[in-house]
């Protein structure tokens, strides 16, 4: 896997299986981005499925530290309301904040995964320190202007890689409803060459 490629790419946090994608892989600590990862950029709310997932993961023994470039008081208030430690003003992808966040939860490189929605901040920062990175599709399209510019770079790097757990487009569902069998994506002819 390339330095700029996340080890896994999910459609949203609730698609990460706590047992299969975290615990069975030895990840008991998560450094978790905030904006557009657990908090929507447009309404500044934690979606219900994300809140439930956080509760399930914590009940299973996973510890979290929020890691955010955000400098507003609201991000610290969010951390307090969720009962999670936070490192804000992180200046991701630079390593010091990742190391500070990892220390807050007692994590080591091998048992800590970074989860966030940005390639340049979250994935690159994790890989600078030899940690695993799971990237998420952003919760909403609304974003800061400089982040929207970085999204174009992400599209180039990620190519046609699709997030795990993404809904199948309606056109693909309709075409698969036809009587003939559907060929797997990437092999339109269906042959096994």
């Amino acid at each position: 896997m390339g330095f700029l490629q996340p080890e896994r790419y999910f459609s949203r946090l609730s698609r990460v299986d706590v047992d299969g994608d975290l615990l069975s892989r030895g990840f008991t600590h998560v450094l978790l981005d905030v904006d557009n990862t657990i908090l929507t950029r447009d309404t500044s709310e934690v979606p219900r499925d994300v809140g439930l997932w956080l509760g399930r993961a914590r009940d299973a023994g996973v510890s979290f530290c929020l890691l955010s470039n955000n400098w507003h008081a609201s991000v610290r208030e969010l951390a307090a309301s969720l009962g999670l430690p936070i490192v804000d003003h992180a200046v991701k992808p630079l390593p010091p904040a990742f190391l500070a966040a990892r220390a807050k939860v007692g994590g080591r490189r091998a048992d800590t995964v970074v989860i966030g929605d940005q390639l340049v901040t979250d994935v690159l920062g994790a890989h600078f320190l030899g940690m695993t990175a799971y990237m998420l599709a952003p919760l909403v399209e609304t974003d800061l202007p400089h982040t929207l510019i970085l999204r174009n770079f992400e599209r180039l790097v990620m190519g046609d890689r699709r997030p795990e757990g993404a809904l199948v487009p309606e056109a693909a569902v309709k075409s698969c409803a036809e009587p003939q069998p559907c060929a797997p994506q990437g092999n339109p002819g269906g042959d096994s060459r």
Side-chain angles (χ1 to χ4, degrees), residues 69-106:
N69 283 347
N70 196 320
W71 63 88
H72 297 100
S74 61
V75 74
R76 289 182 298 282
E77 292 165 4
L78 172 69
S81 73
L82 294 173
L84 297 175
I86 186 168
V87 174
D88 57 351
H89 298 79
V91 195
K92 296 184 290 183
L94 300 179
F98 287 85
L99 293 170
R102 200 168 73 191
K104 282 190 176 202
V105 292

PDB file of all heavy atoms in Angstrom, residues 69-106:
ATOM      1  N   ASN A  69      -7.554  19.540  13.944  1.00  0.00           N
ATOM      2  CA  ASN A  69      -6.894  20.807  13.618  1.00  0.00           C
ATOM      3  C   ASN A  69      -7.745  21.995  14.037  1.00  0.00           C
ATOM      4  O   ASN A  69      -7.304  23.130  13.995  1.00  0.00           O
ATOM      5  CB  ASN A  69      -6.603  20.899  12.113  1.00  0.00           C
ATOM      6  CG  ASN A  69      -5.412  20.064  11.712  1.00  0.00           C
ATOM      7  OD1 ASN A  69      -4.648  19.593  12.548  1.00  0.00           O
ATOM      8  ND2 ASN A  69      -5.246  19.848  10.408  1.00  0.00           N
ATOM      9  N   ASN A  70      -8.978  21.738  14.432  1.00  0.00           N
ATOM     10  CA  ASN A  70      -9.913  22.778  14.846  1.00  0.00           C
ATOM     11  C   ASN A  70      -9.398  23.484  16.094  1.00  0.00           C
ATOM     12  O   ASN A  70      -8.831  22.856  16.986  1.00  0.00           O
ATOM     13  CB  ASN A  70     -11.270  22.119  15.129  1.00  0.00           C
ATOM     14  CG  ASN A  70     -12.410  23.081  15.197  1.00  0.00           C
ATOM     15  OD1 ASN A  70     -12.287  24.169  15.742  1.00  0.00           O
ATOM     16  ND2 ASN A  70     -13.551  22.669  14.657  1.00  0.00           N
ATOM     17  N   TRP A  71      -9.599  24.795  16.162  1.00  0.00           N
ATOM     18  CA  TRP A  71      -9.125  25.570  17.314  1.00  0.00           C
ATOM     19  C   TRP A  71     -10.266  26.238  18.070  1.00  0.00           C
ATOM     20  O   TRP A  71     -10.041  26.957  19.033  1.00  0.00           O
ATOM     21  CB  TRP A  71      -8.104  26.623  16.882  1.00  0.00           C
ATOM     22  CG  TRP A  71      -8.673  27.645  15.953  1.00  0.00           C
ATOM     23  CD1 TRP A  71      -9.299  28.806  16.292  1.00  0.00           C
ATOM     24  CD2 TRP A  71      -8.706  27.603  14.529  1.00  0.00           C
ATOM     25  NE1 TRP A  71      -9.722  29.481  15.184  1.00  0.00           N
ATOM     26  CE2 TRP A  71      -9.365  28.760  14.073  1.00  0.00           C
ATOM     27  CE3 TRP A  71      -8.254  26.674  13.586  1.00  0.00           C
ATOM     28  CZ2 TRP A  71      -9.570  29.027  12.722  1.00  0.00           C
ATOM     29  CZ3 TRP A  71      -8.456  26.953  12.237  1.00  0.00           C
ATOM     30  CH2 TRP A  71      -9.113  28.112  11.839  1.00  0.00           C
ATOM     31  N   HIS A  72     -11.491  26.013  17.664  1.00  0.00           N
ATOM     32  CA  HIS A  72     -12.645  26.633  18.319  1.00  0.00           C
ATOM     33  C   HIS A  72     -13.001  25.915  19.625  1.00  0.00           C
ATOM     34  O   HIS A  72     -12.781  24.711  19.760  1.00  0.00           O
ATOM     35  CB  HIS A  72     -13.852  26.635  17.380  1.00  0.00           C
ATOM     36  CG  HIS A  72     -13.620  27.438  16.149  1.00  0.00           C
ATOM     37  ND1 HIS A  72     -13.288  26.856  14.945  1.00  0.00           N
ATOM     38  CD2 HIS A  72     -13.638  28.773  15.931  1.00  0.00           C
ATOM     39  CE1 HIS A  72     -13.120  27.796  14.031  1.00  0.00           C
ATOM     40  NE2 HIS A  72     -13.322  28.969  14.610  1.00  0.00           N
ATOM     41  N   ALA A  73     -13.587  26.648  20.555  1.00  0.00           N
ATOM     42  CA  ALA A  73     -13.993  26.077  21.839  1.00  0.00           C
ATOM     43  C   ALA A  73     -15.014  24.961  21.656  1.00  0.00           C
ATOM     44  O   ALA A  73     -15.076  24.030  22.463  1.00  0.00           O
ATOM     45  CB  ALA A  73     -14.557  27.173  22.744  1.00  0.00           C
ATOM     46  N   SER A  74     -15.795  25.032  20.576  1.00  0.00           N
ATOM     47  CA  SER A  74     -16.844  24.030  20.361  1.00  0.00           C
ATOM     48  C   SER A  74     -16.279  22.611  20.242  1.00  0.00           C
ATOM     49  O   SER A  74     -16.945  21.645  20.631  1.00  0.00           O
ATOM     50  CB  SER A  74     -17.666  24.376  19.121  1.00  0.00           C
ATOM     51  OG  SER A  74     -16.829  24.397  17.971  1.00  0.00           O
ATOM     52  N   VAL A  75     -15.073  22.456  19.734  1.00  0.00           N
ATOM     53  CA  VAL A  75     -14.503  21.122  19.594  1.00  0.00           C
ATOM     54  C   VAL A  75     -14.141  20.549  20.972  1.00  0.00           C
ATOM     55  O   VAL A  75     -14.311  19.353  21.221  1.00  0.00           O
ATOM     56  CB  VAL A  75     -13.313  21.112  18.610  1.00  0.00           C
ATOM     57  CG1 VAL A  75     -12.068  21.737  19.198  1.00  0.00           C
ATOM     58  CG2 VAL A  75     -13.011  19.710  18.132  1.00  0.00           C
ATOM     59  N   ARG A  76     -13.707  21.393  21.877  1.00  0.00           N
ATOM     60  CA  ARG A  76     -13.427  20.941  23.249  1.00  0.00           C
ATOM     61  C   ARG A  76     -14.731  20.635  23.982  1.00  0.00           C
ATOM     62  O   ARG A  76     -14.803  19.691  24.770  1.00  0.00           O
ATOM     63  CB  ARG A  76     -12.590  21.989  23.988  1.00  0.00           C
ATOM     64  CG  ARG A  76     -11.150  22.052  23.460  1.00  0.00           C
ATOM     65  CD  ARG A  76     -10.280  23.033  24.203  1.00  0.00           C
ATOM     66  NE  ARG A  76     -10.713  24.420  24.121  1.00  0.00           N
ATOM     67  CZ  ARG A  76     -10.529  25.228  23.078  1.00  0.00           C
ATOM     68  NH1 ARG A  76      -9.916  24.766  22.002  1.00  0.00           N
ATOM     69  NH2 ARG A  76     -10.941  26.474  23.096  1.00  0.00           N
ATOM     70  N   GLU A  77     -15.777  21.414  23.703  1.00  0.00           N
ATOM     71  CA  GLU A  77     -17.087  21.148  24.297  1.00  0.00           C
ATOM     72  C   GLU A  77     -17.636  19.809  23.797  1.00  0.00           C
ATOM     73  O   GLU A  77     -18.227  19.047  24.571  1.00  0.00           O
ATOM     74  CB  GLU A  77     -18.059  22.285  23.968  1.00  0.00           C
ATOM     75  CG  GLU A  77     -17.695  23.599  24.649  1.00  0.00           C
ATOM     76  CD  GLU A  77     -18.431  24.802  24.062  1.00  0.00           C
ATOM     77  OE1 GLU A  77     -19.301  24.627  23.168  1.00  0.00           O
ATOM     78  OE2 GLU A  77     -18.114  25.925  24.497  1.00  0.00           O
ATOM     79  N   LEU A  78     -17.437  19.523  22.520  1.00  0.00           N
ATOM     80  CA  LEU A  78     -17.866  18.237  21.957  1.00  0.00           C
ATOM     81  C   LEU A  78     -17.148  17.099  22.672  1.00  0.00           C
ATOM     82  O   LEU A  78     -17.772  16.122  23.075  1.00  0.00           O
ATOM     83  CB  LEU A  78     -17.593  18.177  20.457  1.00  0.00           C
ATOM     84  CG  LEU A  78     -17.821  16.799  19.821  1.00  0.00           C
ATOM     85  CD1 LEU A  78     -19.299  16.448  19.805  1.00  0.00           C
ATOM     86  CD2 LEU A  78     -17.239  16.760  18.416  1.00  0.00           C
ATOM     87  N   ALA A  79     -15.835  17.227  22.811  1.00  0.00           N
ATOM     88  CA  ALA A  79     -15.059  16.182  23.494  1.00  0.00           C
ATOM     89  C   ALA A  79     -15.578  15.963  24.914  1.00  0.00           C
ATOM     90  O   ALA A  79     -15.748  14.819  25.349  1.00  0.00           O
ATOM     91  CB  ALA A  79     -13.580  16.562  23.511  1.00  0.00           C
ATOM     92  N   ALA A  80     -15.862  17.052  25.614  1.00  0.00           N
ATOM     93  CA  ALA A  80     -16.376  16.945  26.982  1.00  0.00           C
ATOM     94  C   ALA A  80     -17.739  16.254  27.000  1.00  0.00           C
ATOM     95  O   ALA A  80     -18.001  15.389  27.846  1.00  0.00           O
ATOM     96  CB  ALA A  80     -16.470  18.326  27.628  1.00  0.00           C
ATOM     97  N   SER A  81     -18.603  16.604  26.034  1.00  0.00           N
ATOM     98  CA  SER A  81     -19.937  15.993  26.004  1.00  0.00           C
ATOM     99  C   SER A  81     -19.873  14.505  25.678  1.00  0.00           C
ATOM    100  O   SER A  81     -20.720  13.735  26.109  1.00  0.00           O
ATOM    101  CB  SER A  81     -20.852  16.718  25.011  1.00  0.00           C
ATOM    102  OG  SER A  81     -20.482  16.415  23.676  1.00  0.00           O
ATOM    103  N   LEU A  82     -18.847  14.084  24.915  1.00  0.00           N
ATOM    104  CA  LEU A  82     -18.681  12.671  24.580  1.00  0.00           C
ATOM    105  C   LEU A  82     -17.839  11.929  25.620  1.00  0.00           C
ATOM    106  O   LEU A  82     -17.704  10.711  25.556  1.00  0.00           O
ATOM    107  CB  LEU A  82     -18.017  12.524  23.199  1.00  0.00           C
ATOM    108  CG  LEU A  82     -18.825  13.018  22.002  1.00  0.00           C
ATOM    109  CD1 LEU A  82     -17.978  12.959  20.735  1.00  0.00           C
ATOM    110  CD2 LEU A  82     -20.105  12.202  21.832  1.00  0.00           C
ATOM    111  N   GLY A  83     -17.256  12.681  26.556  1.00  0.00           N
ATOM    112  CA  GLY A  83     -16.397  12.068  27.566  1.00  0.00           C
ATOM    113  C   GLY A  83     -15.101  11.527  26.989  1.00  0.00           C
ATOM    114  O   GLY A  83     -14.591  10.501  27.438  1.00  0.00           O
ATOM    115  N   LEU A  84     -14.568  12.222  25.972  1.00  0.00           N
ATOM    116  CA  LEU A  84     -13.345  11.764  25.311  1.00  0.00           C
ATOM    117  C   LEU A  84     -12.229  12.791  25.467  1.00  0.00           C
ATOM    118  O   LEU A  84     -12.483  13.995  25.418  1.00  0.00           O
ATOM    119  CB  LEU A  84     -13.598  11.547  23.811  1.00  0.00           C
ATOM    120  CG  LEU A  84     -14.606  10.474  23.427  1.00  0.00           C
ATOM    121  CD1 LEU A  84     -14.842  10.475  21.926  1.00  0.00           C
ATOM    122  CD2 LEU A  84     -14.143   9.102  23.901  1.00  0.00           C
ATOM    123  N   PRO A  85     -10.988  12.327  25.596  1.00  0.00           N
ATOM    124  CA  PRO A  85      -9.868  13.267  25.590  1.00  0.00           C
ATOM    125  C   PRO A  85      -9.706  13.851  24.186  1.00  0.00           C
ATOM    126  O   PRO A  85     -10.164  13.252  23.201  1.00  0.00           O
ATOM    127  CB  PRO A  85      -8.669  12.403  25.976  1.00  0.00           C
ATOM    128  CG  PRO A  85      -9.051  11.012  25.605  1.00  0.00           C
ATOM    129  CD  PRO A  85     -10.557  10.947  25.742  1.00  0.00           C
ATOM    130  N   ILE A  86      -9.047  14.995  24.104  1.00  0.00           N
ATOM    131  CA  ILE A  86      -8.858  15.645  22.805  1.00  0.00           C
ATOM    132  C   ILE A  86      -7.501  16.319  22.736  1.00  0.00           C
ATOM    133  O   ILE A  86      -6.979  16.794  23.740  1.00  0.00           O
ATOM    134  CB  ILE A  86      -9.970  16.683  22.515  1.00  0.00           C
ATOM    135  CG1 ILE A  86      -9.827  17.248  21.094  1.00  0.00           C
ATOM    136  CG2 ILE A  86      -9.988  17.785  23.556  1.00  0.00           C
ATOM    137  CD1 ILE A  86     -11.007  18.055  20.603  1.00  0.00           C
ATOM    138  N   VAL A  87      -6.945  16.327  21.536  1.00  0.00           N
ATOM    139  CA  VAL A  87      -5.809  17.164  21.189  1.00  0.00           C
ATOM    140  C   VAL A  87      -6.307  18.029  20.043  1.00  0.00           C
ATOM    141  O   VAL A  87      -6.598  17.520  18.960  1.00  0.00           O
ATOM    142  CB  VAL A  87      -4.574  16.340  20.769  1.00  0.00           C
ATOM    143  CG1 VAL A  87      -3.461  17.253  20.276  1.00  0.00           C
ATOM    144  CG2 VAL A  87      -4.088  15.469  21.925  1.00  0.00           C
ATOM    145  N   ASP A  88      -6.487  19.326  20.319  1.00  0.00           N
ATOM    146  CA  ASP A  88      -6.908  20.243  19.260  1.00  0.00           C
ATOM    147  C   ASP A  88      -5.711  21.095  18.846  1.00  0.00           C
ATOM    148  O   ASP A  88      -4.605  20.877  19.342  1.00  0.00           O
ATOM    149  CB  ASP A  88      -8.102  21.086  19.704  1.00  0.00           C
ATOM    150  CG  ASP A  88      -7.840  21.886  20.955  1.00  0.00           C
ATOM    151  OD1 ASP A  88      -6.809  21.695  21.601  1.00  0.00           O
ATOM    152  OD2 ASP A  88      -8.698  22.714  21.309  1.00  0.00           O
ATOM    153  N   HIS A  89      -5.913  22.020  17.924  1.00  0.00           N
ATOM    154  CA  HIS A  89      -4.799  22.792  17.364  1.00  0.00           C
ATOM    155  C   HIS A  89      -3.701  21.826  16.883  1.00  0.00           C
ATOM    156  O   HIS A  89      -2.516  22.068  17.064  1.00  0.00           O
ATOM    157  CB  HIS A  89      -4.171  23.738  18.387  1.00  0.00           C
ATOM    158  CG  HIS A  89      -5.066  24.800  18.924  1.00  0.00           C
ATOM    159  ND1 HIS A  89      -5.993  24.562  19.914  1.00  0.00           N
ATOM    160  CD2 HIS A  89      -5.144  26.112  18.621  1.00  0.00           C
ATOM    161  CE1 HIS A  89      -6.608  25.684  20.208  1.00  0.00           C
ATOM    162  NE2 HIS A  89      -6.135  26.645  19.433  1.00  0.00           N
ATOM    163  N   ALA A  90      -4.078  20.717  16.306  1.00  0.00           N
ATOM    164  CA  ALA A  90      -3.148  19.612  16.062  1.00  0.00           C
ATOM    165  C   ALA A  90      -2.090  19.871  14.992  1.00  0.00           C
ATOM    166  O   ALA A  90      -1.036  19.268  15.019  1.00  0.00           O
ATOM    167  CB  ALA A  90      -3.936  18.358  15.699  1.00  0.00           C
ATOM    168  N   VAL A  91      -2.385  20.700  14.031  1.00  0.00           N
ATOM    169  CA  VAL A  91      -1.489  20.954  12.894  1.00  0.00           C
ATOM    170  C   VAL A  91      -1.148  19.634  12.186  1.00  0.00           C
ATOM    171  O   VAL A  91      -0.004  19.349  11.858  1.00  0.00           O
ATOM    172  CB  VAL A  91      -0.201  21.726  13.303  1.00  0.00           C
ATOM    173  CG1 VAL A  91       0.495  22.289  12.076  1.00  0.00           C
ATOM    174  CG2 VAL A  91      -0.501  22.845  14.286  1.00  0.00           C
ATOM    175  N   LYS A  92      -2.184  18.814  12.005  1.00  0.00           N
ATOM    176  CA  LYS A  92      -2.005  17.570  11.250  1.00  0.00           C
ATOM    177  C   LYS A  92      -1.612  17.931   9.817  1.00  0.00           C
ATOM    178  O   LYS A  92      -2.123  18.898   9.293  1.00  0.00           O
ATOM    179  CB  LYS A  92      -3.311  16.762  11.232  1.00  0.00           C
ATOM    180  CG  LYS A  92      -3.768  16.273  12.573  1.00  0.00           C
ATOM    181  CD  LYS A  92      -5.011  15.405  12.493  1.00  0.00           C
ATOM    182  CE  LYS A  92      -6.255  16.163  12.113  1.00  0.00           C
ATOM    183  NZ  LYS A  92      -7.467  15.358  12.101  1.00  0.00           N
ATOM    184  N   PRO A  93      -0.712  17.225   9.222  1.00  0.00           N
ATOM    185  CA  PRO A  93      -0.204  15.889   9.506  1.00  0.00           C
ATOM    186  C   PRO A  93       1.086  15.836  10.336  1.00  0.00           C
ATOM    187  O   PRO A  93       1.698  14.778  10.425  1.00  0.00           O
ATOM    188  CB  PRO A  93       0.063  15.326   8.115  1.00  0.00           C
ATOM    189  CG  PRO A  93       0.540  16.507   7.335  1.00  0.00           C
ATOM    190  CD  PRO A  93      -0.288  17.662   7.871  1.00  0.00           C
ATOM    191  N   LEU A  94       1.506  16.927  10.929  1.00  0.00           N
ATOM    192  CA  LEU A  94       2.749  16.905  11.699  1.00  0.00           C
ATOM    193  C   LEU A  94       2.642  15.947  12.891  1.00  0.00           C
ATOM    194  O   LEU A  94       1.607  15.881  13.550  1.00  0.00           O
ATOM    195  CB  LEU A  94       3.116  18.316  12.147  1.00  0.00           C
ATOM    196  CG  LEU A  94       3.347  19.322  11.008  1.00  0.00           C
ATOM    197  CD1 LEU A  94       3.682  20.695  11.572  1.00  0.00           C
ATOM    198  CD2 LEU A  94       4.434  18.844  10.061  1.00  0.00           C
ATOM    199  N   PRO A  95       3.707  15.234  13.200  1.00  0.00           N
ATOM    200  CA  PRO A  95       3.665  14.166  14.207  1.00  0.00           C
ATOM    201  C   PRO A  95       3.389  14.554  15.662  1.00  0.00           C
ATOM    202  O   PRO A  95       2.790  13.737  16.372  1.00  0.00           O
ATOM    203  CB  PRO A  95       5.066  13.518  14.101  1.00  0.00           C
ATOM    204  CG  PRO A  95       5.511  13.822  12.718  1.00  0.00           C
ATOM    205  CD  PRO A  95       4.955  15.180  12.409  1.00  0.00           C
ATOM    206  N   PRO A  96       3.785  15.731  16.183  1.00  0.00           N
ATOM    207  CA  PRO A  96       3.641  15.941  17.632  1.00  0.00           C
ATOM    208  C   PRO A  96       2.238  15.709  18.197  1.00  0.00           C
ATOM    209  O   PRO A  96       2.100  15.088  19.258  1.00  0.00           O
ATOM    210  CB  PRO A  96       4.093  17.391  17.823  1.00  0.00           C
ATOM    211  CG  PRO A  96       5.076  17.614  16.718  1.00  0.00           C
ATOM    212  CD  PRO A  96       4.505  16.848  15.553  1.00  0.00           C
ATOM    213  N   ALA A  97       1.209  16.170  17.537  1.00  0.00           N
ATOM    214  CA  ALA A  97      -0.151  15.995  18.062  1.00  0.00           C
ATOM    215  C   ALA A  97      -0.582  14.525  18.025  1.00  0.00           C
ATOM    216  O   ALA A  97      -1.281  14.062  18.928  1.00  0.00           O
ATOM    217  CB  ALA A  97      -1.141  16.855  17.293  1.00  0.00           C
ATOM    218  N   PHE A  98      -0.162  13.784  17.013  1.00  0.00           N
ATOM    219  CA  PHE A  98      -0.469  12.350  16.951  1.00  0.00           C
ATOM    220  C   PHE A  98       0.175  11.633  18.139  1.00  0.00           C
ATOM    221  O   PHE A  98      -0.444  10.781  18.771  1.00  0.00           O
ATOM    222  CB  PHE A  98       0.028  11.736  15.637  1.00  0.00           C
ATOM    223  CG  PHE A  98      -0.786  12.111  14.436  1.00  0.00           C
ATOM    224  CD1 PHE A  98      -0.536  13.286  13.744  1.00  0.00           C
ATOM    225  CD2 PHE A  98      -1.805  11.288  13.982  1.00  0.00           C
ATOM    226  CE1 PHE A  98      -1.279  13.637  12.631  1.00  0.00           C
ATOM    227  CE2 PHE A  98      -2.562  11.625  12.865  1.00  0.00           C
ATOM    228  CZ  PHE A  98      -2.296  12.804  12.194  1.00  0.00           C
ATOM    229  N   LEU A  99       1.419  11.993  18.428  1.00  0.00           N
ATOM    230  CA  LEU A  99       2.119  11.383  19.559  1.00  0.00           C
ATOM    231  C   LEU A  99       1.445  11.753  20.886  1.00  0.00           C
ATOM    232  O   LEU A  99       1.288  10.906  21.771  1.00  0.00           O
ATOM    233  CB  LEU A  99       3.588  11.804  19.566  1.00  0.00           C
ATOM    234  CG  LEU A  99       4.423  11.261  18.402  1.00  0.00           C
ATOM    235  CD1 LEU A  99       5.794  11.929  18.364  1.00  0.00           C
ATOM    236  CD2 LEU A  99       4.551   9.748  18.472  1.00  0.00           C
ATOM    237  N   ALA A 100       1.018  13.012  21.015  1.00  0.00           N
ATOM    238  CA  ALA A 100       0.340  13.459  22.241  1.00  0.00           C
ATOM    239  C   ALA A 100      -0.992  12.730  22.413  1.00  0.00           C
ATOM    240  O   ALA A 100      -1.333  12.289  23.517  1.00  0.00           O
ATOM    241  CB  ALA A 100       0.126  14.966  22.211  1.00  0.00           C
ATOM    242  N   ALA A 101      -1.746  12.590  21.336  1.00  0.00           N
ATOM    243  CA  ALA A 101      -3.042  11.900  21.395  1.00  0.00           C
ATOM    244  C   ALA A 101      -2.844  10.429  21.738  1.00  0.00           C
ATOM    245  O   ALA A 101      -3.583   9.865  22.560  1.00  0.00           O
ATOM    246  CB  ALA A 101      -3.782  12.056  20.076  1.00  0.00           C
ATOM    247  N   ARG A 102      -1.862   9.818  21.136  1.00  0.00           N
ATOM    248  CA  ARG A 102      -1.590   8.405  21.409  1.00  0.00           C
ATOM    249  C   ARG A 102      -1.194   8.211  22.876  1.00  0.00           C
ATOM    250  O   ARG A 102      -1.624   7.258  23.525  1.00  0.00           O
ATOM    251  CB  ARG A 102      -0.495   7.902  20.468  1.00  0.00           C
ATOM    252  CG  ARG A 102      -0.469   6.415  20.323  1.00  0.00           C
ATOM    253  CD  ARG A 102       0.414   5.967  19.199  1.00  0.00           C
ATOM    254  NE  ARG A 102       1.821   6.145  19.565  1.00  0.00           N
ATOM    255  CZ  ARG A 102       2.831   6.036  18.719  1.00  0.00           C
ATOM    256  NH1 ARG A 102       2.604   5.783  17.451  1.00  0.00           N
ATOM    257  NH2 ARG A 102       4.060   6.191  19.121  1.00  0.00           N
ATOM    258  N   ALA A 103      -0.410   9.142  23.399  1.00  0.00           N
ATOM    259  CA  ALA A 103       0.000   9.068  24.810  1.00  0.00           C
ATOM    260  C   ALA A 103      -1.201   9.214  25.744  1.00  0.00           C
ATOM    261  O   ALA A 103      -1.257   8.560  26.793  1.00  0.00           O
ATOM    262  CB  ALA A 103       1.040  10.143  25.111  1.00  0.00           C
ATOM    263  N   LYS A 104      -2.183  10.037  25.372  1.00  0.00           N
ATOM    264  CA  LYS A 104      -3.364  10.238  26.227  1.00  0.00           C
ATOM    265  C   LYS A 104      -4.159   8.961  26.433  1.00  0.00           C
ATOM    266  O   LYS A 104      -4.826   8.807  27.444  1.00  0.00           O
ATOM    267  CB  LYS A 104      -4.273  11.325  25.643  1.00  0.00           C
ATOM    268  CG  LYS A 104      -3.776  12.724  25.902  1.00  0.00           C
ATOM    269  CD  LYS A 104      -4.824  13.756  25.525  1.00  0.00           C
ATOM    270  CE  LYS A 104      -4.317  15.135  25.889  1.00  0.00           C
ATOM    271  NZ  LYS A 104      -5.396  16.100  26.053  1.00  0.00           N
ATOM    272  N   VAL A 105      -4.114   8.055  25.447  1.00  0.00           N
ATOM    273  CA  VAL A 105      -4.872   6.799  25.571  1.00  0.00           C
ATOM    274  C   VAL A 105      -3.963   5.609  25.870  1.00  0.00           C
ATOM    275  O   VAL A 105      -4.433   4.471  25.940  1.00  0.00           O
ATOM    276  CB  VAL A 105      -5.736   6.516  24.313  1.00  0.00           C
ATOM    277  CG1 VAL A 105      -6.860   7.531  24.197  1.00  0.00           C
ATOM    278  CG2 VAL A 105      -4.903   6.460  23.050  1.00  0.00           C
ATOM    279  N   GLY A 106      -2.672   5.853  26.004  1.00  0.00           N
ATOM    280  CA  GLY A 106      -1.737   4.767  26.305  1.00  0.00           C
ATOM    281  C   GLY A 106      -1.495   3.846  25.135  1.00  0.00           C
ATOM    282  O   GLY A 106      -1.158   2.672  25.324  1.00  0.00           O
TER     283      GLY A 106
END
